[in-house]
Amino acid sequence: MNKAKTSAEKSVSANSRTLSLLSQLEKINVSSVLGESDNARHVTSKILHLVQSQEKTRKEIISKGSTGIEVILSTLENTRDLQTILNILNILIEVVSVGGGRRASVLVTKGGTQILLQLLLTASKDSPPNEELMMLLHTLLAKIGPKDKKIGMKARINGVLNLSLNLVKQNLQNHRLVLPCLQVLRVYSTNSVNAVSLGKNGVVELLFKIIGPFSKRNTSLMKVALDTLAALLKSKTNARRAVDRGYVQVLLTIYVDWHRHDSRHRYMLIRKGVLQCIKSITNIKLGRKAFLDANGMKILYNTSQECLAVRTLDPLVNTSSLIMRKCFPKNRLPLPTIKSAFHFQLPVIPASGPVAQLYSLPPDVDDVVDESDDNDDAETETEIETEIDDDKDQHFKNDDIETDINKLKPRQELGRPMEELKMYEQFFPELSENFQELDLVSKEPKPFIPDANLSGPIVVPTASEEHTAEANPSTKEVALKECSPSLTEEYNRRPVSLELPKQDNMKNSSLHQQNDQRNMLPSYQCLSQEIVKGLDRISLQNSAKNDQYYGTGCVVKKESKDNLTTLACSKSCDHVSPCGGSLFEGSSVQLGKLCCTGVDSEEEGDSRSSSSGEHVMLQVSDVSPVHDCDLYLEMVKSTKSIPDYSEVAYPDYFGHIPPPFKEPILERPYGVQRTKICQDIERLIYQNDIIDRVVYDLDNLSCSVPEEADVLKFNSKFESGNLRKVIQIRKNEYDLILNSDINSNHYHQWFYFEVSGMKTGISYRFNIINCEKSNSQFNYGMQPLMYSVQEALRSRPCWTRVGTDICYYKNHFSRSSIAAGGQKGKSYYTITFTVTFQHKDDVCYFAYHYPYTYSTLKMHLKKLESMHNPQQIYFRQDVLCETLAGNSCPLVTITAMPESNYYEHICQFRNRPYIFLSARVHPGETNASWVMKGTLEYLMSNSPNAQCLRESYIFKIIPMLNPDGVINGNHRCSLSGEDLNRQWQNPNPDLHPTIYHAKGLLQYLASIKRLPLVYCDYHGHSRKKNVFMYGCSVKETMWHTSVNAASCNLTEDPGYRALPKILSQTAPAFCMGSCSFVVEKSKESTARVVVWREIGVQRSYTMESTLCGCDQGKYKGLSSCD
């Protein structure tokens, strides 16, 4: 107790002493009596002693409400006594030396910078100036300078800018004084005007006298000199001066010397300082040229490779990598033009905008490569080893937020005369339908009839002879009897309902008992559980009992002479040639390379031989009941593409199932981006190792496919494919170039292509080199998707996440400022991934995300229409309009049939509120179509909840707003070369017909006072995880600005948050925290904002689904699937 009391007394005593001394010092300042200088010297000496010995004293002086700093600075400003000045400078140095930058900031706010600069000017007039005073002044200025953003300007105005420089020149051997002077010069140099001024006075040449080869002496001075030089060389004027004097070669020599002698890595900061100087010089074109001429690429490459083994040297490797990437000569893409390889003549050429600019570009614009001095964007290209999501959408730029309250308030505007809107009346027959011709009361829902066409397995004959359907007619009958007694007569009929089979019937079914014993793959995850239970299951399994089994699958015939397998549709073999040629009489549609692949008997490990007459029974589990191979081919025949595609990709034809396992988001190994960049740099250093052979080229139709066994074959001449050119770089490395959106010279992200001719046990590297977005989820665990035909024939028709060493980074290809739209020349980015194939001579498909073609949509809608029960579900499919290429844009209506044709029930039917849904305005966001597919199937299911939704609402759905873009492999635009989701304000009926008429539907509903309750546009997001929504709110927009929402007298129904809240509570993948309801100026012409603002739909949303996976909830750490 006594000890505690003593401690408290000492504390009070110390505090009271500090306050007393400060009070005495204040009185001395007021008094002008002679002899007071001795008192001031004495008082400041005591304060210095307390400050040096007690942290409490330092806190007391700087604490809030204390006048200690003001008193000390006032004394410093007024006194002429040298010792008092030295004491005060030491006091201030002690105060700001600890406590971080906060104390230095306090000193700046009290006017300390100005007082110190004045004192420096006064002290410099002494001849010679006091060394101790100069050292302390510069030490203190170096500490508080970084906290004063205007110190450079203050130094220039006070005329002290060159004082520090002159001190260094006069005292080069006095390292104790030179060190703080250089620190102050570094602070001054943050101001570009100061840097230029100092450069003219010889500061660059002076610093090169200080820095030099390896030496263990004066390393602190060397480090500060390098930091100062790096700051000065950020000025282009100083950088040019350094280049003119040959200092690039000097810096490289110094770096190599320190690298060789610093074997224990004790001076890494000095080595990094040299690299920072090189980095500053190479920000200008002359510096990059001098770096290349001095063999800098090879020097930094070799030294960085030697540093890789030591993790603590990563800052050196990363900085070296940055310099080399910046200095890598910028090249144009190896294309005749960056415009799309395909051209579509527009009916109308816009007067302005990107398309008009594209049409006005000179023919040689792509030959221009910008080599300007503006390389600031390279500064951001450091190695990112930790996962930091590029969440730009969450941090709104204030200048992008709409602040005009008049624009924010929704205002219902039809925009078109009522007479014109009457044309849309034909799309709403449900509002006038009376159902009098239907006997709704007496009709009962039809029972569920499984479709035998969907449960037929895929047969792979291994005998050399080809079997026909008549070879074993009893097989079909046996199979049908196993399924259900009623299936024989219903075999060729489509099921009329998605009604679920009863459990009792399923238990009694012999087919079900057989399936229970099989190793079944997981159910199709995209469908609701209720629908999945009612789907026919097709499994892949070997069978020695049956010689042949027939269904709507594919018959695969194995050739006895080689490893090729020919596929043909078993349902009607007469239209398929044995080698997989034309699938239709008079048609040129082909099944890609299906004739060139098959199950390799050597890899199967089967004891059966190809001449045994036995067959391999391939059964596919859970292939969607709405997928029909034959129907898909029929849909392809009517699909119109600009390249006039004649092939069908196998995954689209056959369909797929989810993988039988959960796919986690990939953890990126440390340093993978750096490794890939080094391999790219090797192309410049070791050019003789580069093959540089074109193996696929859309621009050169005469480009021959290589015949060598070790060269991969590529193809994407099928719907939604968009590979333009492939160049073999090394033996097992290929550069891939994607095609631009038609009538555009950019938008590269979506990819879908075919690869064949591979070998097993070899790692193939693929580089897609003309991506444009500044970041991608490929840096945060996303993987490309691959579909293997060999795996499909082995019972695993899956798109699976594949690839190792995946990363996304800026490369050395660029487009000119003219081609980039008048902006600064833009660099391209590379997606790189490495794949090891499981099967020799397989045919594999790679995609950005699960493909979903326009033909798939048509097939899907056709199947839904044929499968639904018209007694229960009102399903109608209309053609909203034709696209520019002549493809139809489907419009779907789904609701429940009225309970009867009585007046009350008809009225209830007609008065149901509308819900309007749309998707796939951006072709590359294929997940939007998969979400829409799930929505359609759920609404058509027999789930009680789905039935309740149908009875409560009328769903108007446009499942694909941009069919042309989807068909032709575009990433974002339609054939007009424009982003259709930026055309909703003023859509042109000739250029944007789908948007024009979609908006017309909504305007018509508004005109008849039937505004939709909800409008939702489905999208995919490439840079964020989870599922989330964007909505529109006036108040929430105002909250993000300086405008006070309360002062605007705004009253807003919070109902716009209802649907996202419901989804966040019911959907594990949905993230409420990622939702936003802010209206931005840049989004004012999107569907979400226009439907909210002009049509008057309060609950107007964009629903974004991740292309990668989830980082929260039930699916945390898992990749997204279809």
Side-chain angles (χ1 to χ4, degrees):
M1 185 69 183
N2 291 335
K3 288 182 179 180
K5 186 176 180 180
T6 304
S7 177
E9 288 176 351
K10 287 183 177 179
S11 177
V12 171
S13 175
N15 289 341
S16 62
R17 285 180 61 193
T18 304
L19 294 174
S20 175
L21 291 171
L22 289 172
S23 178
Q24 292 179 40
L25 192 59
E26 188 175 12
K27 290 179 181 178
I28 294 172
N29 290 337
V30 175
S31 174
S32 58
V33 181
L34 293 175
E36 288 296 333
S37 59
D38 293 337
N39 291 335
R41 192 181 310 128
H42 176 70
V43 171
T44 53
S45 177
K46 287 186 175 181
I47 294 175
L48 176 60
H49 174 74
L50 288 173
V51 166
Q52 289 175 336
S53 59
Q54 297 181 9
E55 170 62 17
K56 288 183 179 180
T57 303
R58 293 194 287 268
K59 289 182 178 179
E60 178 77 16
I61 293 174
I62 209 76
S63 64
K64 188 175 181 180
S66 172
T67 59
I69 287 293
E70 288 92 333
V71 172
I72 291 173
L73 288 176
S74 176
T75 305
L76 182 63
E77 188 176 16
N78 296 322
T79 187
R80 295 294 177 266
D81 182 67
L82 178 61
Q83 189 58 49
T84 302
I85 293 174
L86 295 177
N87 288 342
I88 292 176
L89 291 176
N90 278 305
I91 291 170
L92 294 175
I93 290 172
E94 290 289 337
V95 167
V96 301
S97 293
V98 292
R102 189 188 66 82
R103 295 182 179 181
S105 298
V106 172
L107 193 57
V108 171
T109 57
K110 302 296 183 182
T113 306
Q114 185 67 29
I115 294 172
L116 291 174
L117 292 174
Q118 283 291 339
L119 183 59
L120 178 60
L121 182 62
T122 303
S124 66
K125 296 176 180 178
D126 297 339
S127 183
N130 186 282
E131 180 181 325
E132 183 72 15
L133 176 59
M134 286 298 182
M135 188 192 71
L136 292 176
L137 273 172
H138 282 87
T139 301
L140 188 54
L141 282 169
K143 289 182 180 296
I144 70 169
K147 294 298 178 181
D148 190 344
K149 295 180 180 179
K150 296 184 178 180
I151 187 171
M153 183 181 67
K154 292 176 182 177
R156 190 169 64 253
I157 292 173
N158 283 278
V160 299
L161 190 60
N162 291 313
L163 292 181
S164 303
L165 177 59
N166 293 331
L167 274 176
V168 175
K169 289 180 178 179
Q170 297 165 7
N171 300 274
L172 266 179
Q173 304 305 317
N174 187 348
H175 297 158
R176 184 168 172 265
L177 177 59
V178 169
L179 184 63
C181 290
L182 290 179
Q183 291 174 330
V184 171
L185 288 175
R186 181 179 59 188
V187 174
Y188 290 165
S189 300
T190 56
N191 182 291
S192 58
V193 177
N194 290 351
V196 173
S197 177
L198 290 169
K200 290 179 179 179
N201 288 314
V203 67
V204 174
E205 294 81 357
L206 177 66
L207 289 173
F208 272 96
K209 293 179 180 179
I210 299 174
I211 63 174
F214 177 81
S215 172
K216 293 183 180 180
R217 298 176 57 189
N218 305 317
T219 54
S220 297
L221 181 64
M222 177 77 169
K223 172 66 175 63
V224 173
L226 287 168
D227 290 346
T228 305
L229 181 60
L232 286 162
L233 291 175
K234 288 181 180 179
S235 160
K236 295 177 184 178
T237 303
N238 290 337
R240 293 189 193 99
R241 184 175 285 106
V243 172
D244 292 342
R245 285 161 176 73
Y247 289 150
V248 175
Q249 179 69 63
V250 173
L251 288 170
L252 287 169
T253 303
I254 291 174
Y255 181 71
V256 171
D257 189 66
W258 280 86
H259 172 79
R260 289 175 178 172
H261 291 89
D262 185 23
S263 57
R264 297 189 178 182
H265 313 303
R266 293 179 177 176
Y267 306 109
M268 188 190 74
L269 292 178
I270 292 178
R271 292 158 67 181
K272 186 178 180 181
V274 179
L275 289 177
Q276 290 292 343
C277 294
I278 298 174
K279 190 176 88 168
S280 295
I281 290 181
T282 52
N283 278 337
I284 64 171
K285 180 180 177 181
L286 284 175
R288 295 192 290 274
K289 184 179 184 301
F291 176 83
L292 292 173
D293 293 342
N295 203 21
M297 293 289 277
K298 194 166 187 177
I299 291 172
L300 292 193
Y301 175 81
N302 291 333
T303 54
S304 60
Q305 291 299 302
E306 293 171 8
C307 294
L308 288 175
V310 184
R311 187 73 173 266
T312 55
L313 298 181
D314 278 354
L316 301 182
V317 179
N318 293 337
T319 307
S320 297
S321 174
L322 178 59
I323 295 169
M324 289 187 286
R325 292 171 68 186
K326 184 166 49 174
C327 294
F328 203 118
K330 291 291 182 183
N331 295 321
R332 59 187 299 272
L333 287 171
L335 296 172
T337 172
I338 60 173
K339 299 176 186 176
S340 174
F342 307 116
H343 177 71
F344 177 79
Q345 183 61 46
L346 296 176
V348 178
I349 305 299
S352 60
V355 180
Q357 185 180 31
L358 183 72
Y359 273 79
S360 64
L361 286 177
D364 59 344
V365 68
D366 295 325
D367 294 327
V368 180
V369 177
D370 287 348
E371 282 286 353
S372 66
D373 288 342
D374 298 322
N375 243 337
D376 301 333
D377 53 349
E379 299 295 323
T380 62
E381 293 299 310
T382 54
E383 172 73 355
I384 304 171
E385 298 295 352
T386 57
E387 181 170 346
I388 304 174
D389 280 330
D390 186 14
D391 214 358
K392 294 181 180 179
D393 293 314
Q394 283 299 100
H395 305 285
F396 303 102
K397 296 179 180 179
N398 285 331
D399 57 357
D400 192 34
I401 298 177
E402 184 58 74
T403 57
D404 188 341
I405 192 66
N406 295 319
K407 289 185 178 181
L408 281 174
K409 288 182 179 178
R411 58 191 187 282
Q412 190 171 325
E413 297 177 353
L414 292 183
R416 293 160 68 179
M418 187 61 194
E419 294 75 17
E420 186 178 335
L421 291 176
K422 276 190 174 296
M423 64 180 289
Y424 298 106
E425 186 177 0
Q426 61 178 311
F427 298 109
F428 299 91
E430 64 274 9
L431 296 179
S432 57
E433 182 69 67
N434 56 26
F435 301 101
Q436 295 305 311
E437 72 280 3
L438 297 178
D439 188 7
L440 296 176
V441 177
S442 61
K443 291 264 185 174
E444 292 294 329
K446 293 185 179 180
F448 177 77
I449 301 175
D451 189 353
N453 290 339
L454 296 174
S455 54
I458 299 169
V459 183
V460 183
T462 54
S464 58
E465 66 272 19
E466 182 176 358
H467 294 264
T468 62
E470 291 75 24
N472 191 354
S474 63
T475 308
K476 183 188 295 184
E477 298 175 3
V478 172
L480 294 175
K481 289 177 182 178
E482 286 180 349
C483 293
S484 171
S486 63
L487 285 178
T488 303
E489 59 184 4
E490 297 288 344
Y491 178 73
N492 290 319
R493 293 180 52 188
R494 303 290 186 194
V496 294
S497 171
L498 277 176
E499 185 177 356
L500 305 181
K502 295 181 180 179
Q503 283 188 340
D504 294 339
N505 294 339
M506 290 293 288
K507 290 180 180 177
N508 294 331
S509 170
S510 60
L511 178 61
H512 180 67
Q513 292 173 1
Q514 291 177 7
N515 286 345
D516 284 344
Q517 299 171 1
R518 295 171 180 165
N519 182 19
M520 304 294 290
L521 296 176
S523 61
Y524 198 65
Q525 298 175 3
C526 185
L527 306 177
S528 64
Q529 294 181 357
E530 293 87 345
I531 304 176
V532 171
K533 292 176 183 177
L535 302 183
D536 289 329
R537 299 186 180 278
I538 311 170
S539 64
L540 284 146
Q541 195 172 16
N542 293 336
S543 173
K545 296 180 181 179
N546 299 326
D547 289 336
Q548 188 71 287
Y549 192 94
Y550 293 93
T552 58
C554 296
V555 178
V556 184
K557 187 186 78 172
K558 187 92 172 221
E559 301 286 348
S560 59
K561 294 182 180 180
D562 52 31
N563 288 334
L564 303 183
T565 304
T566 304
L567 279 75
C569 291
S570 64
K571 191 171 181 181
S572 53
C573 298
D574 55 339
H575 64 273
V576 185
S577 62
C579 62
S582 177
L583 291 171
F584 308 101
E585 294 182 5
S587 173
S588 60
V589 179
Q590 299 179 1
L591 264 179
K593 294 193 177 181
L594 298 186
C595 61
C596 301
T597 184
V599 179
D600 192 342
S601 59
E602 294 179 0
E603 293 179 358
E604 283 283 65
D606 258 335
S607 60
R608 293 185 292 266
S609 67
S610 61
S611 60
S612 64
E614 296 177 348
H615 299 77
V616 180
M617 298 286 290
L618 292 176
Q619 290 183 298
V620 183
S621 297
D622 296 333
V623 170
S624 171
V626 293
H627 191 93
D628 185 317
C629 300
D630 294 334
L631 183 58
Y632 182 82
L633 294 178
E634 290 296 324
M635 297 298 102
V636 169
K637 289 167 60 177
S638 61
T639 298
K640 301 174 183 178
S641 64
I642 303 307
D644 196 18
Y645 291 128
S646 60
E647 299 180 19
V648 177
Y650 187 80
D652 302 325
Y653 163 75
F654 185 75
H656 70 279
I657 61 174
F661 48 84
K662 295 179 179 178
E663 295 183 300
I665 293 175
L666 187 70
E667 291 187 12
R668 192 171 86 168
Y670 181 82
V672 62
Q673 186 183 53
R674 185 176 62 200
T675 302
K676 296 302 178 183
I677 292 169
C678 285
Q679 291 173 2
D680 286 353
I681 290 169
E682 289 173 3
R683 299 187 188 189
L684 184 66
I685 299 174
Y686 306 110
Q687 296 184 17
N688 293 334
D689 297 340
I690 304 304
I691 298 174
D692 198 26
R693 176 169 57 173
V694 177
V695 296
Y696 178 81
D697 192 356
L698 281 184
D699 296 291
N700 182 11
L701 298 179
S702 62
C703 178
S704 59
V705 178
E707 298 298 331
E708 290 89 339
D710 58 348
V711 179
L712 296 180
K713 283 79 175 175
F714 293 83
N715 181 38
S716 70
K717 298 174 183 177
F718 44 78
E719 190 173 346
S720 293
N722 72 334
L723 187 61
R724 181 170 183 174
K725 190 172 186 177
V726 181
I727 304 171
Q728 185 182 17
I729 300 300
R730 299 180 179 95
K731 183 177 181 181
N732 300 314
E733 181 179 354
Y734 297 85
D735 278 358
L736 284 66
I737 302 176
L738 306 178
N739 194 25
S740 301
D741 287 5
I742 293 177
N743 273 318
S744 170
N745 61 8
H746 53 128
Y747 297 119
H748 313 93
Q749 207 77 18
W750 161 258
F751 57 85
Y752 185 20
F753 58 88
E754 171 194 288
V755 179
S756 60
M758 64 284 293
K759 294 182 179 180
T760 58
I762 295 176
S763 295
Y764 293 93
R765 178 181 172 184
F766 300 96
N767 311 307
I768 300 175
I769 62 173
N770 63 330
C771 299
E772 294 182 26
K773 291 191 175 181
S774 59
N775 206 348
S776 168
Q777 283 293 317
F778 282 112
N779 275 335
Y780 308 112
M782 183 173 164
Q783 295 175 274
L785 285 153
M786 187 185 82
Y787 185 105
S788 164
V789 174
Q790 288 276 10
E791 285 292 295
L793 298 177
R794 284 171 168 77
S795 81
R796 298 178 290 271
C798 307
W799 281 101
T800 55
R801 302 276 180 181
V802 298
T804 57
D805 295 343
I806 301 171
C807 58
Y808 186 94
Y809 59 91
K810 183 183 291 185
N811 59 37
H812 60 279
F813 293 104
S814 69
R815 50 185 169 146
S816 68
S817 59
I818 301 175
Q823 308 168 20
K824 182 176 63 174
K826 287 188 176 181
S827 294
Y828 288 106
Y829 291 77
T830 293
I831 299 173
T832 181
F833 55 93
T834 302
V835 176
T836 303
F837 297 98
Q838 297 182 21
H839 307 289
K840 181 182 178 182
D841 294 326
D842 196 358
V843 176
C844 293
Y845 294 81
F846 289 93
Y848 183 66
H849 197 70
Y850 299 91
Y852 190 100
T853 64
Y854 172 68
S855 299
T856 300
L857 171 67
K858 292 194 295 181
M859 174 198 67
H860 182 204
L861 295 178
K862 195 79 172 176
K863 292 291 290 184
L864 284 179
E865 186 172 14
S866 66
M867 294 168 70
H868 86 285
N869 184 347
Q871 300 294 318
Q872 292 182 337
I873 302 175
Y874 181 95
F875 179 93
R876 179 183 174 90
Q877 183 182 170
D878 296 292
V879 175
L880 176 63
C881 63
E882 280 198 349
T883 64
L884 291 177
N887 294 292
S888 61
C889 178
L891 171 67
V892 176
T893 305
I894 299 175
T895 188
M897 292 293 286
E899 293 183 31
S900 72
N901 50 17
Y902 292 140
Y903 176 77
E904 293 81 1
H905 290 154
I906 298 298
C907 285
Q908 189 276 338
F909 172 88
R910 293 178 180 176
N911 289 309
R912 293 170 187 166
Y914 278 94
I915 290 180
F916 205 107
L917 306 176
S918 61
R920 205 68 185 280
V921 71
H922 294 146
E925 297 168 6
T926 58
N927 51 348
S929 281
W930 288 107
V931 174
M932 179 57 76
K933 177 178 183 291
T935 300
L936 290 167
E937 289 175 353
Y938 182 76
L939 290 175
M940 296 292 288
S941 74
N942 280 354
S943 162
N945 289 336
Q947 179 66 21
C948 181
L949 286 171
R950 291 195 299 267
E951 292 173 353
S952 302
Y953 306 102
I954 300 174
F955 291 87
K956 282 289 181 185
I957 302 172
I958 305 177
M960 191 172 285
L961 279 167
N962 192 352
D964 289 344
V966 172
I967 294 166
N968 294 287
N970 286 6
H971 175 66
R972 196 168 185 87
C973 298
S974 69
L975 292 185
S976 70
E978 297 168 297
D979 181 349
L980 289 183
N981 202 37
R982 296 297 186 275
Q983 310 304 323
W984 277 79
Q985 271 188 325
N986 296 294
N988 186 309
D990 296 320
L991 295 176
H992 326 115
T994 60
I995 304 303
Y996 180 82
H997 293 295
K999 186 176 181 181
L1001 292 176
L1002 290 161
Q1003 289 171 323
Y1004 174 76
L1005 286 175
S1007 70
I1008 62 172
K1009 310 303 181 185
R1010 294 294 300 272
L1011 272 180
L1013 179 67
V1014 171
Y1015 171 77
C1016 188
D1017 192 22
Y1018 294 1
H1019 284 253
H1021 208 287
S1022 65
R1023 291 189 289 182
K1024 294 176 72 173
K1025 292 182 171 67
N1026 310 310
V1027 181
F1028 52 95
M1029 278 181 158
Y1030 294 131
C1032 302
S1033 165
V1034 179
K1035 280 195 172 183
E1036 295 200 30
T1037 303
M1038 287 300 181
W1039 289 338
H1040 284 83
T1041 67
S1042 57
V1043 180
N1044 187 354
S1047 65
C1048 298
N1049 297 321
L1050 294 175
T1051 57
E1052 189 173 42
D1053 184 351
Y1056 64 88
R1057 278 185 166 265
L1059 183 57
K1061 284 184 178 178
I1062 292 171
L1063 289 174
S1064 68
Q1065 295 167 3
T1066 57
F1070 195 88
C1071 179
M1072 190 69 186
S1074 296
C1075 295
S1076 171
F1077 304 93
V1078 174
V1079 180
E1080 302 119 299
K1081 296 175 184 177
S1082 60
K1083 304 295 177 62
E1084 64 181 3
S1085 57
T1086 61
R1088 164 178 63 100
V1089 177
V1090 170
V1091 172
W1092 169 74
R1093 179 183 291 165
E1094 295 183 20
I1095 309 298
V1097 179
Q1098 184 198 25
R1099 298 173 181 84
S1100 179
Y1101 305 103
T1102 297
M1103 185 167 73
E1104 300 276 3
S1105 302
T1106 179
L1107 289 160
C1108 178
C1110 296
D1111 60 8
Q1112 53 96 50
K1114 177 181 178 180
Y1115 303 120
K1116 182 177 182 180
L1118 296 179
S1119 295
S1120 60
C1121 71
D1122 60 344

